[in-house]
Amino acid sequence: MTARKPADPRWYQDAVIYETHVKAFYDGNGDGVGDFQGLTEKLDYLEALGVTCLWLLPFFPSPLRDDGYDIADYRDVHPSYGTLADFSRFLEEAHRRDLSVLIELVVNHTSDQHPWFQRARRSPPGSPERDFYVWSDDDRKFSGTRIIFTDTEKSNWTWDPEAKAFYWHRFFSHQPDLNFDNPAVIEQIERVMKFWLDLGVDGFRLDAIPYLVERDGTSCENLPETHAVIRRLRAFVDRHAPGCMLLAEANQWPEDVRPYFGDGDECHMAFHFPLMPRIFMGLRRESAAPIVDIMRRTPAIPPSCQWALFLRNHDELTLEMVTEDERAYMNLAYARDPRARVNVGIRRRLAPLVENGRRRIELLNALLFSFPGTPIVYYGDELGMGDDVLRPDRDGVRTPMQWRGEPSAGFSSRPPEALYSLPVTDPVYGVQAVNVEAQLADRSSLLHWMRNLIRLRRQFRVFGRGTLEFLPAANPRVLAYVRRLDSDVVLCVANLSRHAQPAELDLSGFEGYTPVEMLGYTPFPRVGRTPYLLTLAGYGFLWFELRREG
């Protein structure tokens, strides 16, 4: 199997991405761990949900000390999740349903159990094997570099007694950083990419790419040498699989992420990390200002590129890209219980963050799906799944998918205590209260609402590719903006307050247009010269297609 050549090389701009861990979705062989057999069996569910691309968290052989981000073999499948043959069958079935598949490529580091590192630590200084990683005789080099996992790591250097030297790591001490000043390392990464491209994957999420190259006297982030590596990887992909997408994970300010697009010759997509906490901030403050401010701070990107947008994912709600005052506010608003905090963020799923408020969940998704970029849905959030802050690290947001209201959540034939992780059991978010089977039977469920929203989003290319223009609103609790693409014009209005609010909008530029509410296809009064008046319910939102009369 080889990578598909997409009909539209910019397919990712119109995509709706669904993120899941193979182990968490469905157990097909009854051993208590999700696998590719199970994921394949549930592709019909994902097709019916309407998503167009699956993003799979790491599934490679690994000691699993960091949930698979500590890779010990880049070219195989962890035995718990199946075999390469299982993966190939899954990929074939996904493609048969027009679902693209995006996989992780953890390029910054490996597991300390990877054969490359084991050879490096046993080889003499200066040898080609040792040079695969970054070493030092002391731990003072690169002293201006911040520590990312502040809860667990006190230094970015760890002493290796066998190598008799310190090795560099930006993440956990069992994840040594690769040496991207070594051309042999880049060649090995290219071989890994070709391996998966030949199998047929449609894209790679490049994990932690701001940290690829180190230089003394710098922050060791966003260096020109790092961008040179990314351009080389992009050129390699373009040669071997045109249409394959690269997604940059760079938790940085928008102006610092902008260079990762290059001139359209680096990554096709990049996450917009700072937007996410400001959406939650705007909701709690009942103010559009934090959202408008960060979007106005966001620079233009090449036409072939795209922002990746999300509300929640497999990690904590990161508060790195906020001010100290904003971080304190977010912790007070969303994580009063200190157990909900980890590193510099909040380890909660979407529904618990907003106290299971259905209207707030809908409003947040309406923003996610109507802002410039490609939306990402974290598995189970289409149901309103919950979490468990008592579990270590971020395990509480990585629990089994809840298929049915039974002890093992319909996830596995094994009893709950034999699963890789216990399902959530509390009365609000537990398997009896939140599951696919019940929501499929209830036409008013969140799952059906999400299906409708995804369907609507896919009907209008303007959401993925159009421009954004904020409209001035006298009411600071109302967020109003226009999306345009060619002759298509969409007006979005959102009430960030829990109370009903009036909106008075200057739509004089659209005089004579008829706003048609898009979820119910309801025509509203025609736009005239006077301010256009709307009333929105608490946490209400409206999407209008502006249709020119005549």
Side-chain angles (χ1 to χ4, degrees):
M1 183 185 296
T2 57
R4 297 181 300 167
K5 188 174 180 61
D8 184 348
R10 290 164 61 178
W11 60 270
Y12 46 88
Q13 293 184 325
D14 305 312
V16 177
I17 299 176
Y18 189 90
E19 177 195 358
T20 189
H21 202 315
V22 177
K23 74 173 183 183
F25 207 61
Y26 187 66
D27 174 16
N29 64 5
D31 66 354
V33 180
D35 46 43
F36 278 109
Q37 177 184 334
L39 185 57
T40 304
E41 290 179 29
K42 293 298 186 181
L43 285 174
D44 287 346
Y45 167 81
L46 295 170
E47 183 181 22
L49 180 61
V51 298
T52 63
C53 178
L54 306 184
W55 161 23
L56 303 183
L57 297 179
F59 53 79
F60 314 99
S62 163
L64 300 179
R65 296 182 64 187
D66 186 22
D67 210 16
Y69 281 89
D70 47 334
I71 294 175
D73 183 352
Y74 281 104
R75 304 188 194 192
D76 206 347
V77 172
H78 194 289
S80 294
Y81 311 144
T83 65
L84 277 174
D86 293 331
F87 175 83
S88 293
R89 178 174 175 270
F90 152 75
L91 196 60
E92 182 179 358
E93 289 297 318
H95 286 167
R96 193 168 65 81
R97 294 165 174 81
D98 289 326
L99 293 169
S100 301
V101 175
L102 172 68
I103 71 169
E104 292 278 354
L105 188 63
V106 183
V107 289
N108 179 69
H109 53 264
T110 69
S111 165
D112 58 9
Q113 300 304 304
H114 196 291
W116 295 346
F117 186 73
Q118 291 300 314
R119 284 197 296 266
R121 65 198 295 257
R122 293 167 184 156
S123 300
S127 64
E129 293 81 7
R130 177 70 71 95
D131 200 36
F132 254 62
Y133 294 84
V134 181
W135 301 89
S136 177
D137 292 331
D138 62 57
D139 60 357
R140 295 187 296 273
K141 198 173 182 181
F142 311 141
S143 58
T145 306
R146 68 189 174 100
I147 296 171
I148 295 172
F149 287 161
T150 55
D151 284 5
T152 56
E153 302 297 332
K154 305 306 176 189
S155 171
N156 288 317
W157 291 104
T158 290
W159 175 257
D160 184 77
E162 183 156 358
K164 295 182 173 55
F166 290 92
Y167 63 85
W168 178 254
H169 56 89
R170 287 307 304 274
F171 293 89
F172 292 117
S173 58
H174 57 81
Q175 294 169 320
D177 278 23
L178 288 162
N179 176 17
F180 278 90
D181 284 323
N182 182 352
V185 169
I186 303 175
E187 290 171 7
Q188 283 293 336
I189 296 299
E190 289 175 340
R191 291 175 187 173
V192 169
M193 297 175 88
K194 187 174 187 305
F195 177 85
W196 293 103
L197 289 172
D198 287 347
L199 285 176
V201 302
D202 303 287
F204 297 101
R205 175 189 180 269
L206 301 182
D207 182 68
I209 60 170
Y211 320 118
L212 298 187
V213 178
E214 303 79 25
R215 290 293 181 269
D216 220 352
T218 74
S219 67
C220 293
E221 299 182 13
N222 308 319
L223 300 183
E225 295 87 345
T226 288
H227 289 284
V229 172
I230 298 168
R231 284 193 296 274
R232 175 169 166 175
L233 296 179
R234 168 64 182 274
F236 179 87
V237 165
D238 285 349
R239 287 196 306 272
H240 288 84
C244 173
M245 182 266 285
L246 299 181
L247 169 57
E249 191 228 10
N251 188 358
Q252 311 276 332
W253 292 105
E255 59 268 29
D256 294 326
V257 176
R258 170 61 184 84
Y260 288 94
F261 296 113
D263 295 322
D265 60 351
E266 291 193 33
C267 292
H268 304 78
M269 294 181 65
F271 291 103
H272 198 315
F273 277 96
L275 173 62
M276 175 262 302
R278 284 166 180 81
I279 289 177
F280 285 98
M281 194 181 305
L283 182 67
R284 185 55 66 99
R285 289 182 176 174
E286 300 191 349
S287 169
I291 303 171
V292 173
D293 289 346
I294 195 63
M295 291 305 294
R296 285 182 172 160
R297 183 175 173 173
T298 301
I301 60 177
S304 63
C305 296
Q306 181 79 314
W307 292 105
L309 310 180
F310 62 97
L311 296 171
R312 289 302 307 113
N313 60 19
H314 61 288
D315 285 330
E316 67 273 23
L317 190 163
T318 178
L319 300 178
E320 286 187 89
M321 295 300 117
V322 298
T323 66
E324 290 293 336
D325 287 345
E326 289 171 336
R327 185 175 302 126
Y329 177 82
M330 286 290 287
N331 280 325
L332 182 65
Y334 289 104
R336 286 179 178 269
D337 183 347
R339 295 174 299 182
R341 306 173 192 174
V342 65
N343 299 317
V344 188
I346 301 169
R347 49 179 170 184
R348 302 306 307 267
R349 270 187 174 267
L350 175 60
L353 279 168
V354 295
E355 299 162 318
N356 207 32
R358 171 72 180 267
R359 293 189 65 83
R360 280 176 285 175
I361 293 172
E362 291 181 0
L363 172 60
L364 288 167
N365 277 292
L367 296 175
L368 173 70
F369 277 79
S370 60
F371 265 33
T374 296
I376 299 172
V377 177
Y378 187 47
Y379 83 95
D381 278 355
E382 74 273 21
L383 309 173
M385 271 178 56
D387 54 41
D388 184 354
V389 298
L390 299 181
R391 304 189 193 191
D393 195 34
R394 292 153 291 182
D395 292 351
V397 300
R398 303 174 183 181
T399 57
M401 180 70 172
Q402 295 171 195
W403 295 100
R404 295 191 299 275
E406 55 191 49
S408 291
F411 165 80
S412 174
S413 59
R414 300 275 286 173
E417 62 274 11
L419 306 185
Y420 80 91
S421 175
L422 287 172
V424 173
T425 57
D426 71 66
V428 176
Y429 303 104
V431 296
Q432 294 288 346
V434 178
N435 65 76
V436 171
E437 184 177 64
Q439 293 203 18
L440 284 176
D442 179 4
R443 300 296 299 181
S444 66
S445 69
L446 179 61
L447 176 57
H448 278 287
W449 185 88
M450 286 290 290
R451 280 182 166 188
N452 289 335
L453 191 72
I454 292 170
R455 173 189 53 78
L456 187 59
R457 156 81 188 210
R458 291 179 57 185
Q459 287 179 358
F460 290 86
R461 184 170 279 194
V462 63
F463 286 124
R465 306 195 185 201
T467 60
L468 171 74
E469 174 191 353
F470 287 109
L471 298 180
N475 189 337
R477 295 176 175 84
V478 173
L479 180 66
Y481 46 100
V482 171
R483 307 294 317 280
R484 300 180 196 237
L485 180 68
D486 302 326
S487 60
D488 292 335
V489 184
V490 170
L491 168 66
C492 303
V493 190
N495 175 16
L496 297 168
S497 170
R498 61 194 183 279
H499 303 300
Q501 297 291 328
E504 185 175 305
L505 305 177
D506 179 4
L507 298 181
S508 56
F510 302 102
E511 183 180 353
Y513 283 66
T514 297
V516 178
E517 197 277 322
M518 296 166 69
L519 282 172
Y521 300 104
T522 305
F524 272 51
R526 186 181 301 183
V527 176
R529 297 182 182 179
T530 58
Y532 201 82
L533 301 178
L534 292 169
T535 301
L536 293 99
Y539 300 127
F541 74 93
L542 294 166
W543 289 356
F544 295 105
E545 183 183 6
L546 297 184
R547 295 180 178 174
R548 188 191 298 271
E549 292 297 311

